[in-house]
Amino acid sequence: MENHHDDQALRSLARAVLMPGFIGTTLPGWVAEELEAGLGSLCIYGGNIQDTGQLAALMSQIRQASPGAILALDEEGGDVTRLHYRDGSNQPGNAVLGRMDDPQLTRASARAIAREMRSYGFNLNLAPDADVNTNAQNPVIGVRSFGISPRKVAMHTAAFTVGLQGEMVAACAKHFPGHGDTSTDSHLSLPVVAVDPFTLAERELAPFTAAIQTGIAAIMTSHIMVPALDAENPATFSSAILGDLLRDELGFTGVIVTDALDMAGASAETGIPVAAVRALRAGADLLCLGTDMEREDYEQVVNAILHAVREGTLDPQRLRDAAARNTALATHYRVQDRACEPCELVTGDWSQAFETSAEVAGWISDPAEVQLVQVDTDSNMAVGHVPWGLSSVASTAAPEDLRPGAKVLLAARALSETHAVHTLAAQLRQAGHRVLVVNFGWPAPGADITTYGASPVLARTVMEMLQIPAEQKC
């Protein structure tokens, strides 16, 4: 690029492929300037949302700066929510929907999410999670998945996609080519999916194939190694996976979105600017840069892209193709003014999705006073710090404050053999309390009730099932 005009044109193309986040609950000046100059997309995270009024004002300001931008949100429903980051999701979540196995219910949940998103001005949902959760110890997928059956996950991925896009919110299936069979979290490291090509095609790829056949607008890459496809590069940086497989073999023509490039699986060794160029070169179109970006961080990414084009390591046509796909998505899903809609609950007897032990009936019939206890459990970074379980719908007590003779409903999530809930349950039983352990998550030994999710919707269902009054929140 030899002159100023060419430099500006190239910078415009770079802006069109970027989706940064930002710090705070008000729009930073530099983000407003970039939106006005053609920044293609913005991603809103939980830390950007304080309450409904603040979010409406923020989104109005963003839309004024750029009416045609792609505004994205991670709103899977259930454990992963951004719209309800302060109070917990009003939807049951994928694992419960998979257990219910009613595609109409799944579409209804997605429609409700889409309507709420559109009311604020969002037009891209980084959902559904299309991973087949075949590893029970998966630390980052779990209840975000529709289940362990490729057929079921494929059917509900398609239904969720139809629900979102029928309300004019673009769907984005993730995490291609499949993050379900991992035992590590790509936020923290680089997982490996060591499966043969046949298993991959029949299991991991089935939901993405269904999504493509449904006409999904976008697919998100994963920061995982799949040696059967590419022994050297994680999926996000693999032209064999994004080009040969996703584009050529599966026939996907929509937008390829990267998972957040600030994750360790993507940029721990190289930094975000290098990761951005690698992803573009491999075939990604829209680069999710991650949370908490400052102007300097963003400019480093832009400059890395410009430098790569100038030195010949990134084909400018690749950049033009990516920008064109993003523009086409933004145009098709352009947001129209719409009044804010109230919180919409999808009705269903979610208890049908639960697993329960024989102890439940006896606990219900015991006339003793009920007290609730919740064991704090760290969540993964995808979930963040969202209210969950019993404490999201009712007051809970500390174990040392329990009254003698009370029967105890003891809540936990992310259960494992060494989870603190097992020791606490034994201690409480020894002290004379009748105890039920509720696992607000994926099945694991030691639970009397397993809910397949931790949202307030499911907590209320547990309490209704056990005939305990609960506060109603929406």
Side-chain angles (χ1 to χ4, degrees):
M1 296 294 168
E2 298 179 353
N3 57 51
H4 177 72
H5 179 268
D6 287 343
D7 184 76
Q8 288 300 105
L10 184 56
R11 187 171 290 271
S12 294
L13 287 174
R15 288 190 180 103
V17 303
L18 298 182
M19 183 169 68
F22 60 88
I23 299 171
T25 56
T26 57
L27 188 64
W30 72 267
V31 177
E33 291 172 10
E34 286 300 299
L35 285 167
E36 291 169 356
L39 176 61
S41 181
L42 205 59
C43 191
I44 303 299
Y45 294 90
N48 303 128
I49 300 174
Q50 183 175 331
D51 54 48
T52 56
Q54 170 269 331
L55 178 59
L58 173 64
M59 293 299 292
S60 176
Q61 189 179 2
I62 292 170
R63 279 284 168 219
Q64 287 176 4
S66 180
I70 299 170
L71 299 187
L73 195 70
D74 230 346
E75 194 64 31
E76 297 175 15
D79 286 31
V80 176
T81 179
R82 302 296 179 252
L83 289 176
H84 298 275
Y85 197 73
R86 304 298 177 185
D87 54 357
S89 176
N90 57 13
Q91 302 297 327
N94 283 5
V96 170
L97 292 169
R99 293 272 294 174
M100 300 295 283
D101 205 16
D102 179 351
Q104 290 186 338
L105 204 56
T106 298
R107 281 196 296 272
S109 181
R111 279 198 305 268
I113 289 170
R115 287 170 185 161
E116 194 171 8
M117 289 181 64
R118 291 284 295 191
S119 73
Y120 287 105
F122 292 101
N123 56 350
L124 172 63
N125 191 0
L126 303 177
D129 190 306
D131 299 307
V132 182
N133 196 62
T134 52
N135 188 331
Q137 305 304 314
N138 197 317
V140 68
I141 304 301
V143 297
R144 300 169 64 194
S145 168
F146 288 113
I148 63 174
S149 159
R151 178 203 63 80
K152 179 181 289 188
V153 176
M155 180 171 63
H156 289 277
T157 294
F160 202 97
T161 298
V162 170
L164 287 178
Q165 296 190 170
E167 295 293 328
M168 293 306 293
V169 170
C172 180
K174 59 190 182 185
H175 306 80
F176 189 81
H179 206 315
D181 190 20
T182 61
S183 56
T184 53
D185 184 347
S186 53
H187 292 86
L188 308 173
S189 61
L190 183 60
V192 177
V193 175
V195 298
D196 61 87
F198 177 80
T199 301
L200 189 82
E202 294 294 310
R203 189 178 68 183
E204 271 75 12
L205 297 182
F208 295 99
T209 300
I212 292 167
Q213 292 172 346
T214 306
I216 196 163
I219 288 179
M220 178 180 282
T221 70
S222 59
H223 310 318
I224 61 172
M225 291 294 298
V226 188
L229 299 175
D230 189 328
E232 298 180 358
N233 301 293
T236 299
F237 309 126
S238 171
S239 59
I241 293 174
L242 303 188
D244 298 346
L245 176 59
L246 182 54
R247 291 286 187 212
D248 298 340
E249 187 175 333
L250 299 184
F252 180 60
T253 59
V255 172
I256 297 178
V257 184
T258 70
D259 206 345
L261 294 178
D262 63 348
M263 294 164 60
S267 60
E269 295 184 4
T270 66
I272 297 174
V274 171
V277 173
R278 290 181 67 195
L280 282 169
R281 193 185 300 129
D285 302 308
L286 186 58
L287 309 184
C288 178
L289 301 181
T291 61
D292 297 347
M293 294 211 84
E294 301 274 16
R295 181 193 289 267
E296 181 180 356
D297 305 316
Y298 170 82
E299 286 295 336
Q300 287 176 356
V301 175
V302 172
N303 290 333
I305 294 171
L306 302 187
H307 179 71
V309 172
R310 290 178 185 132
E311 69 175 6
T313 57
L314 176 62
D315 187 344
Q317 187 57 45
R318 170 79 273 278
L319 200 56
R320 284 191 285 270
D321 290 344
R325 285 197 186 93
N326 298 339
T327 300
L329 185 149
T331 301
H332 184 77
Y333 291 95
R334 189 178 178 91
V335 172
Q336 307 297 325
D337 289 339
R338 183 185 295 189
C340 287
E341 298 182 11
C343 157
E344 179 177 348
L345 295 179
V346 175
T347 57
D349 181 5
W350 310 123
S351 65
Q352 293 180 26
F354 297 173
E355 292 181 0
T356 58
S357 74
E359 174 62 20
V360 172
W363 192 95
I364 293 173
S365 63
D366 189 329
E369 173 193 12
V370 176
Q371 287 196 273
L372 312 178
V373 175
Q374 184 153 305
V375 179
D376 287 337
T377 311
D378 289 337
S379 60
N380 60 61
M381 291 177 69
V383 173
H385 303 289
V386 178
W388 65 277
L390 300 177
S391 64
S392 69
V393 298
S395 299
T396 58
E400 60 270 20
D401 295 333
L402 292 173
R403 289 180 283 276
K407 61 180 182 180
V408 178
L409 190 59
L410 182 56
R413 64 176 172 178
L415 262 62
S416 65
E417 292 182 0
T418 59
H419 197 290
V421 73
H422 303 306
T423 301
L424 178 56
Q427 291 172 344
L428 293 178
R429 288 173 179 135
Q430 189 173 12
H433 297 284
R434 189 166 197 161
V435 177
L436 272 188
V437 175
V438 185
N439 171 21
F440 284 98
W442 198 258
D448 296 294
I449 301 173
T450 298
T451 63
Y452 286 84
S455 74
V457 174
L458 304 181
R460 280 193 290 271
T461 302
V462 168
M463 297 184 69
E464 290 165 3
M465 184 179 76
L466 299 178
Q467 301 169 22
I468 306 168
E471 301 170 18
Q472 294 300 308
K473 296 182 180 180
C474 179

